[in-house]
């Protein structure tokens, strides 16, 4: 069984910073990609940032230049460094991972989310 656990959310003032962590645990043979999504009340879930096995990175336009995604393969951990936070960044941030738990096929897994609230 594979589980993802997010941490690092909280309340921060506009312009402040937070660092989110996502640890994947369980039976993991290979991680294909990890990513961060966010969902605010009344809004669609959106991809914030992703990083694949080759190191390729994608960011949402709204966070480019402010957020940085990174990955520690040895620890099966992804990070999201969030700087210059804005009130519109307020959302539940969810970690997702595409990985091989067995040798046959990959599956997507999701964490339960961590709340990020940015005050003005």
């Amino acid at each position: 069984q594979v589980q993802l656990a997010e941490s690092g959310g909280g309340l921060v003032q506009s312009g402040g910073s937070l660092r989110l962590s996502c640890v994947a645990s369980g039976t993991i043979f290979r991680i294909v990609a990890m990513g961060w999504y966010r969902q605010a009340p009344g809004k669609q879930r959106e991809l914030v940032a992703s990083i694949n096995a080759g190191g390729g990175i994608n960011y949402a336009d709204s966070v480019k230049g402010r957020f940085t995604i990174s990955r520690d393969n040895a620890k099966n951990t992804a990070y999201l460094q969030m700087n210059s936070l804005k009130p519109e960044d307020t959302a539940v941030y969810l970690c997702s991972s595409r990985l091989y738990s067995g040798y046959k096929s990959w599956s997507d897994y999701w964490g339960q989310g961590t709340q990020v609230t940015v005050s003005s």
Side-chain angles (χ1 to χ4, degrees):
Q1 186 67 38
V2 175
Q3 292 180 307
L4 303 182
E6 303 105 329
S7 62
L11 175 64
V12 66
Q13 293 185 59
S14 181
S17 298
L18 286 173
R19 182 175 181 253
L20 306 183
S21 299
C22 173
V23 180
S25 61
T27 304
I28 301 170
F29 291 93
R30 183 169 69 91
I31 296 177
V32 178
M34 299 188 77
W36 289 95
Y37 292 74
R38 67 186 180 188
Q39 188 161 24
K43 299 184 67 176
Q44 298 276 73
R45 182 199 295 169
E46 65 172 337
L47 175 66
V48 177
S50 65
I51 182 167
N52 64 27
I57 293 172
N58 289 301
Y59 294 103
D61 288 342
S62 60
V63 307
K64 286 181 179 177
R66 300 188 298 120
F67 291 10
T68 303
I69 189 171
S70 61
R71 175 178 163 184
D72 186 333
N73 292 334
K75 298 180 180 179
N76 291 329
T77 301
Y79 305 94
L80 186 68
Q81 179 67 47
M82 304 185 293
N83 299 326
S84 302
L85 283 162
K86 305 174 181 179
E88 50 262 46
D89 294 319
T90 296
V92 174
Y93 284 71
L94 302 116
C95 178
S96 180
S97 180
R98 178 167 290 176
L99 56 84
Y100 285 85
S101 183
Y103 71 92
K104 290 185 177 181
S105 62
W106 53 260
S107 297
D108 290 333
Y109 297 87
W110 291 85
Q112 294 185 349
T114 184
Q115 177 70 44
V116 172
T117 302
V118 184
S119 62
S120 60

